């Protein structure tokens, strides 16, 4: 792998709501190398999207990044002024959102939305920006790009809209592309096309990719490293190829067993219970109320994120004693 | 552009049945007000049978109702609004009053948009701040205030006690003029009624813009624009405002028509010689041709305002042109 590009260090992002303080991201750490495709995995409410928003400094109110560091090539983004962050958003880090129906502005043409981003980051004329917009649409394999530039989002299909959203995320030629569940709101056949596109773009453009998803299938298909989040904390970090055969955290194992498989007869497992309330999260290990290996230690102490083996980290008191591999093979 | 043109044609076609329906209702209601001859006799007690016969045939009262409707509608469409029961043509009575009404309403509209939109945006961007609370409370006060009461209070303060501004009319009929000359005099007469109208409609606009803006600022495309590095001012005033203002166009357009029709209260308070005041005067003496004429003119103005609204809406929102 290449050089470390982004490091998130003990990030805390809370939402101060009327019902109480929601500890959406509570001490998340991980790193992303140059050109690396990384998966950020977890159920809804695990803090995946908020982590991405915190990196960019665009956490919506009433959310607030309280502490931690977000280092981009060694520079702490959390210490930067908003005006400096603005120059970096879209330019160093691009984002594709979940639902292209809502992430594209309905009242502006595709061309307008692309060229606005292009002209924000590059000092070029309107004509040149238009050419660049056409180039971006070609890049995301949209046919008749000149026509598409003059169309409004509602004139395009769902898959086409998401391609436009990807083109917009690429408009500033970023080094990191964050894709926040980019296929969840698309038809299944379109999903495969969009994933294929993201995969090849990541290689073509030599970008690092942060794929936010709850789908282990997408993780297997797209990424080389995976960060598993649970209730605002990191459960496990692992190379993708290892995690499927030998998960180290009981949550990861449970998550993997919740993926339907054609080659195994075993019935599909669901994880008992729900993701905890993040206003008053469980003490100790946040997964303990749902974990079948839970002991008193899990209730009393927060497990540290330990370095185990090479390139692997896990946050579980009992990882050594568990033999989750055999469980997966069954 | 072609789609916008077909859209315009379709909207105009839709206006025709509305116009016909209003004309039928207006004609029926005014005719249900009573026997026109009896009404005329109230003012002319000594009519000879010949004169009476002449009047009956002049107003076509010897013909059935539907025939009279078509005659009336035909005359209206060719620009002949009929003869006022108080003498003179209806057109001569109404036309100059259209201008004064529009002068008042358009000025108030410009002011309330000019003030309401920026204040609404500010309020939304600073939700729950002290200034937002102040703006919102004032707006509720404005929305719930009857225009005539506010008008009377302002007349009491600024005309009766302070003698700063005229209390009625739209111009002084003869010198001395307010503030020394004819034009300033007209402005002095405009201030209070425009103030009342502006205050009331600015409140509506502020509330609408604030609510829409809050809604729009939560949308993904605003977050996406921010994530793309666009300037906050670009996001607020272009990306978000265009989305927030579109529904306001509809409300303002519709309420503008409503204002034209609903102005009698305000115009009467300020003795403002506009359509609303003329309507009240004509209705109190049962001058039915004038009442009919004003109703139809207001209908036309409302239809034009609606058409303008539709066009504006289609211009702002490309999705509308399709449906």
């Amino acid at each position: 792998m290449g050089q470390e590009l982004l490091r998130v260090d003990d990030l805390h992002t809370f939402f101060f709501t009327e019902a109480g303080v929601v500890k959406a991201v509570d001490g998340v750490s991980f790193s992303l190398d140059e050109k690396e495709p990384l998966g950020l995995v977890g159920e809804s409410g695990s803090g995946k999207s908020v982590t991405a928003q915190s990196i960019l400094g665009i956490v919506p109110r009433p959310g607030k990044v309280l502490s931690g560091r977000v280092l981009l090539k060694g520079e702490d983004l959390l210490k930067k002024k908003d005006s400096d962050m603005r120059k970096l958003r879209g330019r160093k880090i691009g984002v594709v959102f979940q639902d292209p129906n809502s992430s594209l502005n309905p009242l502006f043409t595709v061309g307008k939305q692309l060229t606005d981003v292009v002209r924000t980051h590059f000092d070029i004329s309107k004509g040149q920006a238009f050419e660049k917009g056409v180039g971006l649409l070609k890049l995301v394999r949209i046919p008749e790009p000149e026509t598409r530039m003059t169309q409004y989002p509602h004139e395009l299909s769902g898959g086409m809209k998401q391609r436009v959203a990807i083109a917009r995320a690429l408009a500033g030629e970023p080094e990191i592309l964050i894709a926040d569940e980019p296929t969840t709101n698309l038809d299944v056949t379109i999903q495969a096309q969009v994933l294929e596109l993201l995969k090849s773009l990541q290689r073509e453009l030599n970008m690092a990719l942060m794929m936010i998803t709850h789908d282990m299938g997408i993780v297997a298909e797209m990424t080389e490293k995976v960060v598993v989040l649970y209730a605002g904390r990191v459960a496990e970090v692992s190379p993708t190829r290892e995690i499927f055969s030998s998960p180290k955290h009981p949550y990861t194992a449970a998550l993997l067993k919740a993926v339907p498989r054609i080659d195994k007869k075993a019935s599909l497992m669901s994880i008992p219970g729900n993701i905890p309330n993040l206003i008053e999260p469980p003490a100790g290990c946040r997964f303990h109320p749902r974990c079948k290996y839970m002991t008193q230690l899990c209730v009393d102490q927060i497990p540290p994120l330990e370095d185990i083996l090479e390139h692997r980290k896990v946050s579980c008191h009992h990882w050594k004693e568990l033999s989750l591999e055999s469980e997966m093979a069954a | 552009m072609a789609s916008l043109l077909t859209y315009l044609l379709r909207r105009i076609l839709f206006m025709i049945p509305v116009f016909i329906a209003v004309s039928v209702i207006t004609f029926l209601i005014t005719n249900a007000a009573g026997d026109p001859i009896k009404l005329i006799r109230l003012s002319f007690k000594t009519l000879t049978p010949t004169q009476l016969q002449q009047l009956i045939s002049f107003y076509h009262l010897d013909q059935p109702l539907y025939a009279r409707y078509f005659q009336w509608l035909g005359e209206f469409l060719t620009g002949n609004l009929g003869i006022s029961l108080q003498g003179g043509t209806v057109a001569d009575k109404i036309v100059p009053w259209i201008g004064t009404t529009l002068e008042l309403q358009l000025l108030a509209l410009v002011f309330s948009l000019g003030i309401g939109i920026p204040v609404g945006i500010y309020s939304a961007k600073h939700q729950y701040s002290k200034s937002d609370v102040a703006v919102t409370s004032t707006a509720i006060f404005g929305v719930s205030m009857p225009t005539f009461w506010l008008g009377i209070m302002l007349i009491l303060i600024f005309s009766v006690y302070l003698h700063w501004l005229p209390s009625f009319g739209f111009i002084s009929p003869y010198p001395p003029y307010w503030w020394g000359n004819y034009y300033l005099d007209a402005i002095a007469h405009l201030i209070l009624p425009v103030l009342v109208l502006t205050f009331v409609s600015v409140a509506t606009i502020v509330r609408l813009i604030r609510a829409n803006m809050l809604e729009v600022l939560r949308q993904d495309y605003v977050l996406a624009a921010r994530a793309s590095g666009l300037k906050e001012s670009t996001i607020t005033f272009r990306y978000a405002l265009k989305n927030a203002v579109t529904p306001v166009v509809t409300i303002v357009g519709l309420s503008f028509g409503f204002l034209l029709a609903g102005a009698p209260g305000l115009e009467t308070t300020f003795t403002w010689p506009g359509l609303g005041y003329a309507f009240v005067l004509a209705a109190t003496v049962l001058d039915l041709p004038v009442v009919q004429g004003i109703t139809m003119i207001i209908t036309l103005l409302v239809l034009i305002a609606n058409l303008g609204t539709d066009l504006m809406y289609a211009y702002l929102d490309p999705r509308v042109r399709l449906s």
Side-chain angles (χ1 to χ4, degrees):
Chain A
M1 270 296 117
Q3 285 245 300
E4 182 178 280
L5 186 56
L6 181 81
R7 164 171 289 280
V8 175
D9 206 7
D10 201 25
L11 182 71
H12 289 78
T13 304
F14 292 178
F15 285 79
F16 297 86
T17 68
E18 276 174 36
V21 181
V22 181
K23 301 173 186 74
V25 172
D26 198 3
V28 165
S29 306
F30 65 91
S31 69
L32 175 68
D33 288 345
E34 276 177 358
K35 303 169 194 173
E36 181 180 47
L38 170 95
L40 204 58
V41 188
E43 293 167 88
S44 350
S46 60
K48 298 167 301 196
S49 300
V50 179
T51 302
Q53 290 167 356
S54 306
I55 291 171
L56 284 163
I58 53 164
V59 180
R61 279 190 304 180
K64 212 170 154 25
V65 178
L66 291 184
S67 64
R69 293 190 302 167
V70 174
L71 301 172
L72 182 71
K73 291 181 182 164
E75 258 192 297
D76 192 349
L77 302 187
L78 298 183
K79 292 211 176 79
K80 278 185 178 285
K81 280 187 295 184
D82 194 65
S83 55
D84 293 332
M85 273 308 283
R86 195 177 61 67
K87 293 183 189 122
L88 201 134
R89 292 179 199 132
R91 184 73 180 91
K92 299 283 176 201
I93 308 174
V95 190
V96 182
F97 287 85
Q98 179 172 340
D99 185 358
N101 295 311
S102 61
S103 77
L104 294 175
N105 198 321
L107 303 189
F108 294 87
T109 59
V110 167
K112 181 79 192 147
Q113 299 191 51
L114 288 180
T115 53
D116 269 354
V117 180
V118 169
R119 296 191 74 203
T120 299
H121 297 297
F122 305 102
D123 190 18
I124 55 177
S125 72
K126 273 190 178 175
Q128 288 168 313
F130 187 86
E131 284 312 311
K132 190 149 188 340
V134 171
L136 284 164
L137 292 183
K138 278 186 192 149
L139 188 66
V140 296
R141 280 72 149 166
I142 288 182
E144 301 171 62
E146 283 88 358
T147 319
R148 301 297 178 206
M149 287 290 277
T150 63
Q151 286 181 316
Y152 289 92
H154 71 268
E155 296 173 86
L156 308 178
S157 69
M160 199 74 90
K161 273 185 245 185
Q162 194 60 305
R163 283 164 194 267
V164 170
I166 294 171
R168 176 178 59 186
L170 298 175
E173 299 172 3
E175 290 165 57
I176 303 173
L177 182 67
I178 299 180
D180 189 352
E181 307 236 14
T183 55
T184 310
N185 275 40
L186 301 177
D187 293 339
V188 182
T189 48
I190 308 295
Q191 284 186 7
Q193 292 174 14
V194 168
L195 288 175
E196 196 51 52
L197 174 69
L198 281 171
K199 198 171 169 181
S200 56
L201 284 173
Q202 186 255 326
R203 290 189 187 147
E204 255 172 69
L205 305 173
N206 280 321
M207 291 179 300
L209 174 71
M210 193 189 292
M211 189 78 195
I212 297 177
T213 181
H214 59 262
D215 185 337
M216 289 309 268
I218 291 179
V219 170
E221 188 68 31
M222 302 280 298
T223 70
E224 286 170 20
K225 186 168 118 180
V226 55
V227 176
V228 181
L229 290 184
Y230 183 78
R233 287 199 189 136
V234 176
E236 182 167 3
V237 181
S238 164
T240 307
R241 73 194 121 77
E242 286 175 31
I243 206 166
F244 284 90
S245 54
S246 64
K248 293 296 177 200
H249 196 288
Y251 173 63
T252 317
L255 202 60
L256 287 170
K257 283 207 271 184
V259 179
R261 290 185 64 165
I262 286 181
D263 58 335
K264 291 215 173 121
K265 282 249 162 73
S267 59
L268 196 60
M269 302 287 287
S270 64
I271 307 175
N274 287 313
I275 197 148
N277 165 6
L278 292 177
I279 293 175
E280 287 172 56
C285 173
R286 287 197 174 165
F287 189 57
H288 83 252
R290 299 170 79 182
C291 182
K292 55 182 173 183
Y293 308 104
M294 189 261 279
T295 63
Q296 190 56 40
L297 182 64
C298 303
V299 184
D300 295 339
Q301 281 185 29
I302 300 173
L305 188 62
E306 282 181 74
D307 282 300
I308 60 164
L309 309 167
E310 208 186 341
H311 304 306
R312 296 201 66 167
K313 289 174 185 180
V314 69
S315 162
C316 176
H317 291 300
H318 302 298
W319 70 271
K320 276 183 202 138
E321 305 132 47
L322 305 176
S323 54
L324 298 168
E325 289 92 336
S326 57
E327 197 180 299
M328 293 313 293
Chain B
M1 248 12 243
S3 62
L4 205 57
L5 205 66
T6 43
Y7 178 80
L8 172 68
L9 285 175
R10 217 164 39 205
R11 297 318 304 177
I12 293 176
L13 284 179
F14 272 126
M15 286 165 62
I16 295 171
V18 176
F19 181 82
I20 291 173
V22 173
S23 68
V24 170
I25 294 168
T26 307
F27 187 79
L28 288 181
I29 288 180
T30 42
N31 274 283
D35 181 354
I37 295 306
K38 276 199 190 133
L39 296 176
I40 294 171
R41 282 186 124 164
L42 290 177
S43 10
F44 304 96
K45 300 242 163 70
T46 53
L47 285 175
T48 63
T50 340
Q51 284 171 320
L52 198 63
Q53 204 48 53
Q54 275 168 346
L55 271 173
I56 286 173
S57 61
F58 180 78
Y59 284 112
H60 310 292
L61 293 176
D62 44 358
Q63 288 173 29
L65 200 60
Y66 69 87
R68 276 157 54 204
Y69 167 74
F70 285 113
Q71 258 160 5
W72 171 74
L73 188 66
E75 295 275 315
F76 181 85
L77 291 178
T78 52
N80 180 6
L81 303 188
I83 305 291
S84 163
L85 296 188
Q86 300 164 89
T89 69
V90 173
D92 283 346
K93 280 193 177 290
I94 296 175
V95 172
W97 306 54
I98 298 175
T100 47
T101 287
L102 286 179
E103 176 185 339
L104 193 62
Q105 298 290 353
L106 287 176
L107 261 178
L109 185 70
V110 168
F111 280 122
S112 39
L113 287 175
I115 299 167
I117 293 177
V119 171
I121 295 172
Y122 178 88
S123 223
K125 292 286 281 185
H126 301 85
Q127 194 188 6
Y128 302 136
S129 67
K130 275 179 192 151
S131 39
D132 175 38
V133 173
V135 165
T136 321
S137 334
T138 318
I140 291 173
F141 183 73
V143 167
S144 30
M145 189 69 54
T147 49
F148 71 89
W149 187 83
L150 195 61
I152 291 169
M153 289 303 124
L154 289 179
I155 290 172
L156 266 178
I157 297 168
F158 291 102
S159 307
V160 179
Y161 294 125
L162 296 172
H163 301 289
W164 286 358
L165 292 166
S167 63
F168 69 93
F170 86 118
I171 197 84
S172 303
Y174 43 79
Y177 293 124
W178 283 85
W179 302 347
N181 81 45
Y182 184 82
Y183 298 101
L184 290 177
D185 181 87
I187 293 172
H189 280 87
L190 269 170
I191 290 174
L192 286 183
V194 168
L195 193 69
V196 172
L197 269 182
T198 305
F199 184 62
V200 174
S201 52
V202 91
T204 316
I205 289 168
V206 165
R207 283 161 54 85
L208 275 170
I209 289 278
R210 180 180 179 276
N212 288 329
M213 216 44 198
L214 282 175
E215 177 70 29
V216 167
L217 286 173
R218 269 197 290 271
Q219 297 294 317
D220 275 358
Y221 52 76
V222 168
L223 197 65
R226 210 167 274 149
S228 308
L230 297 190
K231 283 195 195 115
E232 200 56 34
S233 56
T234 312
I235 296 172
T236 307
F237 293 106
R238 294 239 323 277
Y239 278 56
L241 184 60
K242 197 172 178 191
N243 280 281
V245 109
T246 314
V248 177
V249 168
T250 316
I251 307 273
V252 168
L254 292 181
S255 65
F256 185 66
F258 183 76
L259 278 175
L260 289 176
L266 181 92
E267 291 188 351
T268 311
T269 310
F270 287 100
T271 330
W272 185 265
L275 280 181
Y277 186 49
F279 186 89
V280 172
L281 287 184
T284 41
V285 298
L286 287 174
D287 190 344
L288 297 182
V290 173
V291 169
Q292 284 173 339
I294 292 177
T295 313
M296 293 316 291
I297 292 288
I298 287 178
T299 306
L300 274 183
L301 288 175
V302 169
L303 286 175
I304 291 168
N306 286 359
L307 183 68
T309 309
D310 285 342
L311 276 182
M312 190 74 185
Y313 200 72
Y315 170 74
L316 285 172
D317 192 339
R319 289 166 297 184
V320 174
R321 287 171 229 161
L322 287 178
S323 52

